[in-house]
Amino acid sequence: MPFVGIFTIFILAIFVGYYVVWGVTPALHTPLMAVTNALSSIVIVGAMLQTVVTHSDGAPHSLTWTSILGAFAVFLASINIFGGFAVTERMLSMFKGKDKNSAKGPKA
């Protein structure tokens, strides 16, 4: 596939991802985040496969646009996964009970 086709798919995926994530109601963010983390892990595996350049004929390794975009996709998917875990941790801490000692206030 030529570079223009791959780059077009990459740009369209960015727009689709943006509108899917920002179009969801806040009540569905946690289940969506779990699904996006799973999808991002699949994206990372695919992007890592595109980043690595292998030559069976022993030719020297070269840096291609596909490998650069693969590395960039790994970077973006990593941000999504780590951000998802951070937001999930924050949301779960909101459901935990408050510490009784901190609710009483400081002792005089």
Side-chain angles (χ1 to χ4, degrees), residues 8-94:
T8 303
I9 292 172
F10 180 71
I11 297 298
L12 289 174
I14 289 172
F15 282 111
V16 169
Y18 176 81
Y19 284 109
V20 165
V21 170
W22 267 260
V24 172
T25 61
L28 296 176
H29 271 229
T30 301
L32 177 68
M33 212 168 295
V35 172
T36 56
N37 279 350
L39 291 175
S40 292
S41 64
I42 295 170
V43 167
I44 282 183
V45 171
M48 287 171 62
L49 290 174
Q50 294 299 316
T51 302
V52 175
V53 178
T54 57
H55 296 280
S56 61
D57 59 351
H61 297 283
S62 60
L63 194 61
T64 62
W65 280 106
T66 305
S67 63
I68 292 171
L69 286 177
F72 189 62
V74 168
F75 175 71
L76 291 178
S78 299
I79 290 173
N80 188 28
I81 288 175
F82 291 122
F85 280 120
V87 170
T88 302
E89 177 67 25
R90 183 169 181 237
M91 291 178 75
L92 289 176
S93 69
M94 293 170 63

Side-chain angles (χ1 to χ4, degrees), residues 89-105:
E89 177 67 25
R90 183 169 181 237
M91 291 178 75
L92 289 176
S93 69
M94 293 170 63
F95 291 107
K96 289 181 182 176
K98 292 185 179 181
D99 190 17
K100 293 181 180 180
N101 294 332
S102 65
K104 292 179 181 176

